[in-house]
Amino acid sequence: MSSQVSTSRGLHPPGKLGTFESPHAWPLPAPTAQPEAGRGDDQEVRLLSVAWNQDCGCFAAGTSNGFRIFNCEPFKETFRRDLKSGGFGIVEMLFRCNILALVGGGSNVQYPPNKVMIWDDHQSRCIGEFAFRSDVRAVKLAKDYIVIVLERKIFVYNFTDLKLLYQIDTLSNPKGLCCLSHHSNTSVLACPGVHQGHVRVEHFGLKMAKTIPAHDSHISCMSLTMDGLLLATASSKGTLIRIFNTMDGTRLQEDMQVRRGLDKAEIYSIALSPNVQWLAVSSDKGTVHIFSLRVRVAGEDASSEQRALEGPRMDHQNSSSSIDPLIQANTGSNASSSLSFMRGILPKYFSSEWSFAQFHLPEVTRYIVAFGAQNTVMMVGLDGSFYRCSFDQVNGGQMLQKEYFRFLKSDNPPFRTAAA
């Protein structure tokens, strides 16, 4: 599968850009089209996609006539672009900066679904384009990488100059399954392998790859921790979630049952909490499940030499095969630990066969989940709904709804219901 790449002058390092913070700070014209004179009725706008940014502090919504950016806490729309024709089926953010990856979608598409535009909204122009012979299934962004997923191949580009770095073959991947870490110390990608039920993990900085036989059936969903060192997977059977060490492929968490009985479920999304204590799963059964991971770290009393190694090490990790900073930054084990860093992570407590906490949602739409501040979980649906719920970290059980918004409201603030 070949690709064509075009660039524009003025490509900026992603770390030195503005942010999407105010809905009134962006008077620039929309991509190759004029914005609508007014904000049209949302009844005429279809929501095509929703996607969290890297820290889940906000999310992007691709619509049939443009895209919108929403902040999660407090919840508010911070930015939008309404176009006269054409919408976006994929809108991928780079943290909160003004760089976006856009792929056309919906009907009356002005932007083709086989092209990725890297859009700089400060300059109000496209600073790079990638064209392919088939439709783009997903795009992932990190500080150093642009990852473009086709049905049977993944392309990895350098963010600075848009040069192709890697090509990865996959099994048929119509969902565009792919995860990319964004921790300053690690650069990890996970995607379907070339065999059914297998996951390929690329540690770019360490120049090593690992294939994990995760399930017997096809992979339906996957998620990485922020540092890319833990992988959660679900199969097309939709009843089991498994946790793996991405360095050596060890299964760390036994099977977690998403649903009682043998009913098949389609897993929509998996989220791992930043502290790696909790896992959230949404499915077509209308329930978000929270599981307790409860892992302990061996060698928790780090040496002073080890603590001295802490801090951002992107350059080191990208240029050396040493995994000492990788070990230290994420497990607290000694720098002299064996190459399998996960020797220091052992299951302290396997959660019960069923989920620890639950929240029931309408079954009529697809939801993606993420962890918020403290013991909260956020859910965004393709029906234009946003939920924030809290769960009891000791007793579990039914989660408490704290907020609910209908966010496709043009001229008024998002509609909010009282907390349950």
Side-chain angles (χ1 to χ4, degrees), residues 79-129:
F79 177 73
R80 71 164 63 185
R81 285 221 178 270
D82 291 331
L83 310 181
K84 288 184 176 180
S85 61
F88 298 106
I90 296 174
V91 181
E92 187 73 13
M93 301 180 67
L94 180 63
F95 294 95
R96 289 176 179 268
C97 79
N98 52 286
I99 296 295
L100 297 164
L102 305 173
V103 179
S107 59
N108 190 26
V109 177
Q110 181 173 344
Y111 311 102
N114 66 326
K115 179 182 289 188
V116 177
M117 297 188 299
I118 306 301
W119 177 256
D120 183 342
D121 215 274
H122 266 165
Q123 301 185 61
S124 189
R125 68 188 181 97
C126 183
I127 58 176
E129 291 186 356

Side-chain angles (χ1 to χ4, degrees), residues 253-319:
Q253 174 72 48
E254 293 299 324
D255 299 337
M256 291 175 283
Q257 300 287 340
V258 174
R259 185 169 171 81
R260 290 184 182 273
L262 300 177
D263 290 354
K264 186 175 180 178
E266 181 182 357
I267 302 299
Y268 288 151
S269 71
I270 301 174
L272 290 152
S273 66
N275 61 9
V276 199
Q277 291 184 356
W278 308 101
L279 179 144
V281 182
S282 65
S283 75
D284 63 347
K285 300 305 179 181
T287 301
V288 171
H289 294 272
I290 306 295
F291 295 92
S292 172
L293 298 181
R294 301 295 177 89
V295 297
R296 67 177 172 85
V297 179
E300 291 177 355
D301 296 327
S303 67
S304 58
E305 176 184 1
Q306 174 188 354
R307 288 192 295 269
L309 291 172
E310 292 183 357
R313 283 182 168 267
M314 180 65 74
D315 293 339
H316 182 151
Q317 204 262 342
N318 282 342
S319 61

Side-chain angles (χ1 to χ4, degrees), residues 71-379:
N71 188 71
C72 293
E73 193 170 356
F75 188 87
K76 63 179 179 178
E77 180 181 313
T78 61
F79 177 73
R80 71 164 63 185
R81 285 221 178 270
D82 291 331
L83 310 181
K84 288 184 176 180
S85 61
F88 298 106
I90 296 174
V91 181
E92 187 73 13
M93 301 180 67
L94 180 63
F95 294 95
R96 289 176 179 268
C97 79
N98 52 286
I99 296 295
L100 297 164
L102 305 173
V103 179
S107 59
N108 190 26
V109 177
Q110 181 173 344
Y111 311 102
N114 66 326
K115 179 182 289 188
V116 177
M117 297 188 299
I118 306 301
W119 177 256
D120 183 342
D121 215 274
H122 266 165
Q123 301 185 61
S124 189
R125 68 188 181 97
C126 183
I127 58 176
E129 291 186 356
F130 304 84
F132 302 90
R133 295 178 182 173
S134 62
D135 290 356
V136 175
R137 302 298 184 178
V139 181
K140 301 296 179 182
L141 301 181
K143 179 181 178 182
D144 295 328
Y145 301 104
I146 300 171
V147 177
I148 300 174
V149 184
L150 308 185
E151 185 163 343
R152 292 184 178 271
K153 189 177 287 289
I154 293 176
F155 295 89
V156 182
Y157 298 89
N158 187 313
F159 215 137
T160 302
D161 55 17
L162 305 188
K163 290 184 178 179
L164 180 64
L165 300 176
Y166 306 96
Q167 294 186 50
I168 302 171
D169 293 320
T170 70
L171 200 64
S172 177
N173 184 19
K175 292 183 177 180
L177 299 179
C178 183
C179 304
L180 186 62
S181 71
H182 55 272
H183 193 280
S184 60
N185 284 1
T186 57
S187 299
V188 183
L189 179 146
C191 64
V194 295
H195 299 292
Q196 177 176 298
H198 288 202
V199 177
R200 175 167 176 160
V201 179
E202 295 279 347
H203 290 265
F204 294 135
L206 301 179
K207 302 186 184 302
M208 60 176 285
K210 179 69 182 179
T211 298
I212 299 174
H215 300 271
D216 294 331
S217 53
H218 288 285
I219 304 295
S220 67
C221 194
M222 63 176 68
S223 180
L224 285 170
T225 49
M226 290 183 179
D227 54 20
L229 301 180
L230 294 181
L231 170 72
T233 65
S235 75
S236 57
K237 292 182 179 179
T239 56
L240 301 178
I241 307 294
R242 292 172 176 166
I243 309 295
F244 297 92
N245 159 6
T246 62
M247 292 291 288
D248 62 12
T250 303
R251 188 195 300 181
L252 299 174
Q253 174 72 48
E254 293 299 324
D255 299 337
M256 291 175 283
Q257 300 287 340
V258 174
R259 185 169 171 81
R260 290 184 182 273
L262 300 177
D263 290 354
K264 186 175 180 178
E266 181 182 357
I267 302 299
Y268 288 151
S269 71
I270 301 174
L272 290 152
S273 66
N275 61 9
V276 199
Q277 291 184 356
W278 308 101
L279 179 144
V281 182
S282 65
S283 75
D284 63 347
K285 300 305 179 181
T287 301
V288 171
H289 294 272
I290 306 295
F291 295 92
S292 172
L293 298 181
R294 301 295 177 89
V295 297
R296 67 177 172 85
V297 179
E300 291 177 355
D301 296 327
S303 67
S304 58
E305 176 184 1
Q306 174 188 354
R307 288 192 295 269
L309 291 172
E310 292 183 357
R313 283 182 168 267
M314 180 65 74
D315 293 339
H316 182 151
Q317 204 262 342
N318 282 342
S319 61
S320 171
S321 61
S322 169
I323 67 166
D324 288 349
L326 191 75
I327 297 169
Q328 179 280 326
N330 297 283
T331 70
S333 57
N334 294 329
S336 60
S337 297
S338 66
L339 205 144
S340 174
F341 87 98
M342 292 301 261
R343 185 182 73 173
I345 295 185
L346 302 172
K348 184 178 183 181
Y349 162 79
F350 286 119
S351 62
S352 62
E353 187 179 17
W354 311 111
S355 58
F356 177 79
Q358 311 82 32
F359 182 73
H360 297 287
L361 291 160
E363 298 182 26
V364 297
T365 193
R366 179 183 297 264
Y367 292 88
I368 60 172
V369 296
F371 285 91
Q374 299 177 346
N375 59 324
T376 61
V377 178
M378 302 175 292
M379 307 109 177

Side-chain angles (χ1 to χ4, degrees), residues 386-388 401-406 414-420:
F386 175 92
Y387 293 85
R388 188 193 312 279
Q401 180 178 309
K402 307 294 288 186
E403 292 179 314
Y404 169 73
F405 296 94
R406 294 289 298 183
F415 174 75
R416 176 179 180 175
T417 64

